[in-house]
């Protein structure tokens, strides 16, 4: 599916199993982020609110909305509002 099909691009990532196995999910999250085109979203499910990720992804042009589930877990939708300049771009 793609935005060209008229269906918004969405990547879903549940990091709860990684964390339960003692694996730090940051690199997996960033790999998923790299696949989200402008206009697409990353839906992240985590057992806690991933506050530090908000600034990291804002720097890459993402906005976010956060929902707390009745179970106490969080679903955060990061929307790619467009490509932000990176240090590698020389900006």
């Amino acid at each position: 599916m793609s935005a060209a099909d008229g269906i918004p691009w969405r990547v879903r990532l549940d990091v709860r199993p990684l964390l339960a196995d003692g694996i730090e999910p940051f690199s997996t999250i960033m790999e998923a982020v790299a696949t989200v085109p402008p206009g697409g979203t990353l839906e992240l499910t985590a057992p806690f609110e991933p506050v530090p990720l908000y600034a990291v992804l804002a720097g890459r042009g993402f906005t976010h909305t956060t929902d707390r589930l009745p179970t106490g877990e969080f679903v955060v939708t990061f929307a790619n509002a467009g490509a932000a300049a990176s240090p590698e771009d020389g900006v």
Side-chain angles (χ1 to χ4, degrees), residues 16-59:
R16 294 173 296 182
L18 294 173
L19 292 165
D21 288 341
I23 300 169
E24 166 56 51
F26 184 76
S27 62
T28 302
I29 293 167
M30 297 311 290
E31 287 171 9
V33 165
T35 70
V36 180
T41 60
L42 167 65
E43 184 181 281
L44 179 71
T45 304
F48 55 84
E49 187 174 10
V51 174
L53 211 48
Y54 297 162
V56 171
L57 295 187

Side-chain angles (χ1 to χ4, degrees), residues 1 5 7 11-12 18 22 25 28-30 35 40-41 50 55 57 65 67 83 86:
M1 279 184 219
D5 299 327
I7 301 168
V11 175
R12 290 190 169 108
L18 294 173
T28 302
I29 293 167
M30 297 311 290
T35 70
T41 60
L57 295 187
T65 57
D67 293 306
S86 70

Side-chain angles (χ1 to χ4, degrees), residues 25 50 56 77-78:
V56 171
T77 302
F78 292 97

